[in-house]
Amino acid sequence: MRDFMKPGRSVAIAENGMAATSHPAATLAALEILKAGGNAFDAAIAAVALQGVIDPHMTGIGGDCFVMFKPAGGAPVALNGSGRAPGRADAAWFLDRDMDVIPDGSAHAVTIPGAVDAWLRLSADHGRMSIGEVFAPAIAAAENGYVVTPRVALDWARYAGRVAAHAAAAEMFLPGGQAPVAGDRMAAPALGGTLRRIAREGRSAFYEGEAAEEMTAVLNAAGGLHAAEDFAAQVSDYGEPIRAAYRGYDLLECPPNGQGLAALLITRILDGFDLAGSALSEADRIHLLAEATKAAYGWRDLLVADPAHHRVDIAEILSERSIARLRACIKLDRAAEAGAFDGPAHRDTVFVTVVDRDRNAVSFINSLFFAFGSSIYAPRSGVLLQNRGAGFRLDPTHPNCIAPGKRPMHTIIPGMLMRDGEGVMSFGVMGGQYQAAGHAHIVSRVVDFGDDPQSASDRPRSFCFDGVLSLEPTIPDAVRADLAARGHKTAWADEPLGGCQAIWIDHRRGVLLGGTDHRKDGVALGY
């Protein structure tokens, strides 16, 4: 129970259904879908599609997604809705031009958007409502306008420079040359029209015809290697989640090309330490998370890639023999040397989770990658294109090297916690590179300390990445000094670390408990 004398937010509690998102309008849209007879799949798609309109720097139909879901009474399933490189995107093409990275604002960073295909497939296979009904909130916001909320306005202004240099994007997203402020009204009529066509005609309205032709032409004009057949060929894939045990629970993640393997590695390492024990201080716990993160991200950067091009032995990587070697390298009183990261920053994402009255549970993450993605905008169709291809390497020996039709390594990961075969928490943590560490932190707070989803989300966060241990300023100075004395290069985080949404399913009592991050604008609501 939280201290009601202090500022904070109570955990949301409901019986029949619940949604948790990072935007209040998206949560309301999902809840209205549930109350109108839709299921968790319908509601999650509705929320994500709406956020593609009202959170345009974070997500949209020009982006990618991953979904983890557990149908009522069924086994959990992972859906990979990430896009592929163009058929002409061979590493040799880039190396012949003396390129060693793919610039994040270039057309070469744009892989084929995968979200729309995944939304439609999920809706057709598991939804109850028509896609027109599901898209209705997004279409209404795009065509009739919406009001900008505070955190959206903050990020919009912070990253306005990413679109300022792109005339078409600047005209759309910087009216009068300025980012909108909280309370301003915006609209996206071209995007609304495209959503209407998709609802009426299906995937061909996006991956073929006028929209695909415009996206191809815009990308080609910017130097891209894209062709119409690349769009037509995009398809999402179902798969089996990967998992690891943690103190009697199972943490489930999507398999590569996402970084879920890193989250499993961190939790497997931490499973060997009594984090809730009185012998450990808060500085000890932050240190252990940092050291486990270093080890896991090192493996991630070496191994995670499109499994169609590079397969890894996940069972061996997560085996006790392998994990024991990683644990043995951790010293409680000394920070290990951190390797430098030479890839791109991974930033902007929305995460949605919905559980319905039947206990279908959906964990859904959708992203443009960087703020405003590539900033390459197709104005007639209203599509802002992601830049996930910036995550590819150009070293032909690296598993994540770009290749025709290949998917890049992704940081966006939906999570699911299970116990005794039942899904008990659908959750995710936005925040780019932070996400795998964030999953481990939330799971530990819930499992080790008994936090409800809201309390777990509210806790101060830390993140060790690229040689720096970032600490949210709610962590005491004395803890920072302790960590620095162990050899960590510490710094106060200049912006909140991630954003969490989670729903706990209490099967015994028949109730849902939801939390959403105070670091964003969103809410968790049920009925």
Side-chain angles (χ1 to χ4, degrees), residues 57-58 66 104 159 162 257-259 297 300-301 304 341-349 367-371 387-393 400 408-413 429-436 463 465 495-498 520:
H57 62 294
M58 288 282 188
F66 290 83
D104 63 78
Y159 299 112
R162 288 195 58 82
N257 54 314
Q259 67 162 336
Y297 280 44
R300 179 201 72 169
D301 295 338
V304 174
F341 178 70
D342 61 355
H346 298 227
R347 294 183 180 275
D348 296 290
T349 302
S367 176
L368 288 177
F369 194 25
F370 281 45
N387 61 342
R388 280 289 167 184
F392 277 124
R393 306 297 183 99
N400 193 36
M409 190 274 278
H410 271 251
T411 49
I412 58 173
I413 49 173
V429 183
M430 303 171 286
Q433 298 286 0
Y434 173 70
Q435 292 182 47
F463 182 38
F465 183 70
E495 59 182 354
L497 293 175
K520 302 285 185 179

Side-chain angles (χ1 to χ4, degrees), residues 88 107 213-228 230 376:
R88 294 169 55 206
E213 290 168 5
E214 186 196 12
M215 288 185 282
T216 302
V218 167
L219 289 165
N220 290 167
L225 304 175
H226 307 73
D230 296 320
I376 297 173

Side-chain angles (χ1 to χ4, degrees), residues 247-262:
R247 310 200 204 287
Y249 292 81
D250 284 314
L251 174 60
L252 274 62
E253 301 281 351
C254 293
N257 54 314
Q259 67 162 336
L261 178 60

Side-chain angles (χ1 to χ4, degrees), residues 371-385:
F372 296 104
S374 65
S375 296
I376 297 173
Y377 180 64
R380 294 197 307 278
S381 53
V383 180
L384 185 65
L385 292 156

Side-chain angles (χ1 to χ4, degrees), residues 270 275 280-294 332 441 445 449 460-464 469-472 474-476 478-480 482-484 486 488 490 492:
L270 294 179
L275 297 183
L280 293 183
S281 67
E282 187 59 21
D284 291 332
R285 297 184 188 100
I286 293 172
H287 170 76
L288 289 171
L289 177 59
E291 297 304 288
T293 299
K294 290 177 193 174
L332 193 59
H441 174 70
R445 290 305 318 182
F449 297 92
R461 294 177 184 156
S462 62
F463 182 38
C464 188
L469 178 55
S470 295
L471 306 170
E472 289 190 331
T474 46
I475 292 172
V479 173
R480 179 180 179 179
D482 185 328
L483 292 163
R486 305 183 199 208
H488 290 285
T490 64
W492 294 122

